[in-house]
Amino acid sequence: MDDNKGTSLILTHTAKGEKMMNAVSENIKCEQVYLEQAARENPSLLRSSVHKQNRDIVLKTIESENFQEILPLLQVKQPQRRSKKEIIKRVLKKLCGLG
């Protein structure tokens, strides 16, 4: 189901997570797979991915809530009207190699 349109894997670990997944499953494209298949397609599920060079600096900056200092580290243009939540999402996408 690799369509380059979004999340590739959702794992549920609790009854609450299963209930939430069941609530949205009719409104999204999804299929249930065995963990072995999921791990084959998502290697980071079993082993850590390679850290990018500025990772530790970015994480320390996030912890200090100094969001404006993070953007230059990631070479992201500073948004004019973005909330802290939007900035964090963009930073995390960049760290994961998605942005």
Side-chain angles (χ1 to χ4, degrees):
M1 233 169 70
D2 183 7
D3 60 6
N4 292 323
K5 292 185 178 181
T7 304
S8 63
L9 178 65
I10 298 173
L11 299 173
T12 57
H13 296 282
T14 63
K16 183 178 180 181
E18 187 75 22
K19 184 177 177 181
M20 291 173 69
M21 190 64 207
N22 288 336
V24 300
S25 64
E26 292 181 14
N27 300 315
I28 60 174
K29 182 178 175 184
C30 65
E31 69 180 84
Q32 190 169 356
V33 297
Y34 290 103
L35 185 58
E36 292 80 14
Q37 181 182 354
R40 231 182 0 259
E41 301 296 325
N42 297 274
S44 293
L45 184 61
L46 300 176
R47 61 187 168 278
S48 296
S49 57
V50 177
H51 294 167
K52 293 196 175 199
Q53 184 178 5
N54 290 332
R55 178 183 180 271
D56 291 333
I57 295 168
V58 171
L59 293 176
K60 285 179 184 175
T61 306
I62 289 172
E63 287 175 1
S64 71
E65 295 187 26
N66 221 337
F67 303 108
Q68 297 305 319
E69 290 181 27
I70 296 169
L71 299 176
L73 295 173
L74 300 173
Q75 300 175 346
V76 175
K77 292 181 183 178
Q78 186 171 343
Q80 297 266 335
R81 297 181 184 184
R82 298 213 179 196
S83 68
K84 286 183 180 181
K85 182 178 177 180
E86 289 173 310
I87 293 170
I88 291 170
K89 278 183 173 180
R90 183 173 226 163
V91 166
L92 292 175
K93 282 183 180 181
K94 193 76 165 176
L95 282 174
C96 296
L98 303 173

